[in-house]
Amino acid sequence: MLYCYDLNKYPKDNTKAAEPEWTAGIDGEVHKYDGQGVVIGNDGTIYVTTGDINWAGDGGRVTAVNPDGSIKWEAVADGDISGCAAVDNDGYVYYNDCNTGKLVKLSPTDGSRVSEILLAPEGMRSSPTISCDGTIYCTGMKDGHPTLFAVKGSATGHGTSWSQLGGNPQKSCVR
């Protein structure tokens, strides 16, 4: 489940329990060490990455949720998903398929695959992250060694509102 709360509606003294504004049912599971999570696109769309259900081979998922909690689309990976998705400045969504070793690019409109590239035949191990110039970085295993990959595609930057701490790809902010 994805829950949305407006904590401004509740006193800070814990005298009233917060209740969700809305909930959305999301398929898949969040596995303890796979780092799946939530990112937000520039238009407010929420992208949730989840893993394979009980490692049954049915594929990880990226689910796009509208700001009102309705499901926009769901894309199923060939394998499991490692980490959170990333959003570029044009709204395209990227995820790492940890089983197939591919970086996959999805359309923000309908979740269809725009492109994919095989990087790590032995598996991906991270969330993709997008630099200020649009280079997409991720890590995986290649030839038995941990490897950093840098992919330059059509993106010219990262999205301004996704989880890189307000446009800070270095993640150097402390909250």
Side-chain angles (χ1 to χ4, degrees):
M1 294 294 290
L2 177 64
Y3 294 85
C4 175
Y5 293 91
D6 182 351
L7 298 180
N8 292 321
K9 293 182 177 181
Y10 299 93
K12 306 284 188 251
D13 60 6
N14 295 327
T15 57
K16 184 176 180 185
E19 295 181 21
E21 298 288 307
W22 53 258
T23 62
I26 306 294
D27 288 335
E29 292 185 354
V30 176
H31 299 142
K32 190 172 185 177
Y33 298 107
D34 287 346
Q36 291 113 0
V38 177
V39 296
I40 301 173
N42 293 345
D43 64 354
T45 300
I46 304 156
Y47 298 101
V48 182
T49 55
T50 54
D52 209 351
I53 300 173
N54 292 319
W55 293 284
D58 61 346
R61 291 165 168 71
V62 177
T63 304
V65 181
N66 291 309
D68 66 1
S70 61
I71 303 296
K72 186 174 183 179
W73 51 258
E74 178 185 78
V76 179
D78 293 334
D80 211 353
I81 292 179
S82 177
C84 292
V87 180
D88 72 19
N89 60 326
D90 290 326
Y92 289 97
V93 181
Y94 301 82
Y95 71 86
N96 287 335
D97 189 313
C98 61
N99 298 111
T100 66
K102 294 178 182 177
L103 172 66
V104 180
K105 179 180 181 179
L106 302 176
S107 165
T109 306
D110 60 8
S112 61
R113 286 186 194 196
V114 174
S115 62
E116 59 185 43
I117 183 172
L118 176 63
L119 297 173
E122 299 164 39
M124 300 296 278
R125 299 288 188 257
S126 69
S127 303
T129 193
I130 304 171
S131 72
C132 295
D133 71 357
T135 304
I136 304 160
Y137 294 96
C138 44
T139 60
M141 296 297 290
K142 185 174 182 179
D143 300 326
H145 301 286
T147 305
L148 173 65
F149 299 95
V151 177
K152 189 65 179 156
S154 61
T156 57
H158 52 74
T160 57
S161 64
W162 73 282
S163 73
Q164 291 194 30
L165 295 174
N168 177 5
Q170 295 83 11
K171 298 181 177 142
S172 58
C173 178
V174 176
R175 293 184 185 210

